[in-house]
């Protein structure tokens, strides 16, 4: 293939079958980073598998993160006057046992983390407890006037 979509990012809605799946496959073949959505988990899993294991974990994850961000930003309008707050946390690189679910070996995980260390302004990965502290802050009265935000707890990665 010509790789005419190298370094491009594509979101294919309805990417579990038919035209959507064919389009997602073509995008992957041309070098794009592809994220797919679908309504049924079994079909979504099968389509992600057909696209390749890197696509499997991150396509679903990233699509769900985008939905959470949108919900936090827009849901506050639906809840106006209820004193219910909606905020989202976007953690950076935090090695957890979930990394093993990606099908990577411990060495591949270590290599991934080592590469990421080069882009994190703090020069280190986060810990689960650091993320938990940010979540507790947003749930507490200490953040009583914080509403509809996405809080990046990522060592500064999103800022560069």
């Amino acid at each position: 293939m010509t790789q005419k979509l190298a370094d491009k990012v594509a979101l294919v809605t309805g990417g579990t079958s038919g035209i959507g799946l064919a389009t997602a496959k073509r995008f992957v073949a041309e070098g794009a980073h592809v994220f797919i959505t679908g309504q049924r988990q079994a079909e979504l899993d099968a389509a992600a598998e057909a696209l390749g294991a890197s696509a499997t974990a991150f396509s679903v994850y990233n699509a769900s993160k985008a939905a959470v961000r949108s919900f936090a930003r827009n849901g506050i309008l639906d809840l106006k006057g209820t004193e219910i707050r909606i905020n989202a946390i976007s953690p950076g690189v935090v090695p957890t046992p979930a990394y093993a679910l990606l099908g990577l070996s411990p060495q591949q995980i270590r290599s991934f983390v080592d590469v990421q260390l080069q882009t994190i302004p703090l020069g280190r990965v986060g810990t689960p407890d650091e993320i938990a502290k940010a979540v507790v802050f947003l749930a507490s009265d200490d953040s009583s006037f914080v509403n509809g935000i996405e809080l990046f707890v990522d060592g500064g990665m999103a800022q560069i």
Side-chain angles (χ1 to χ4, degrees):
M1 286 284 161
T2 61
Q3 297 290 297
K4 59 183 153 189
L5 299 178
D7 299 322
K8 303 276 186 191
V9 177
L11 170 64
V12 179
T13 58
T16 58
S17 65
I19 295 169
L21 180 57
T23 300
K25 286 179 179 179
R26 178 62 54 193
F27 280 7
V28 167
E30 291 290 350
H33 302 281
V34 179
F35 304 97
I36 61 172
T37 65
Q39 295 181 342
R40 292 172 302 280
Q41 189 63 51
E43 286 83 358
L44 190 58
D45 292 341
E49 180 68 27
L51 294 173
S54 293
T56 301
F58 288 109
S59 61
V60 175
Y61 176 77
N62 288 329
S64 65
K65 288 295 288 181
V68 168
R69 283 192 294 271
S70 181
F71 179 70
R73 291 180 183 142
N74 296 293
I76 63 173
L77 298 174
D78 294 335
L79 296 172
K80 184 177 180 181
T82 65
E83 296 187 29
I84 296 172
R85 298 180 295 122
I86 304 173
N87 296 297
I89 291 282
S90 287
V93 179
V94 180
T96 67
Y99 278 37
L101 299 176
L102 299 174
L104 302 174
S105 71
Q107 177 59 30
Q108 289 172 314
I109 293 170
R110 184 73 241 163
S111 294
F112 168 75
V113 169
D114 289 343
V115 168
Q116 296 303 306
L117 286 173
Q118 304 304 311
T119 63
I120 302 170
L122 280 180
R124 64 177 181 82
V125 297
T127 67
D129 192 53
E130 288 173 312
I131 307 306
K133 288 176 184 177
V135 173
V136 167
F137 166 72
L138 287 178
S140 75
D141 288 339
D142 290 342
S143 66
S144 62
F145 201 58
V146 177
N147 197 14
I149 64 122
E150 175 181 7
L151 179 61
F152 293 93
V153 186
D154 64 359
M157 281 183 66
Q159 306 310 312
I160 57 171

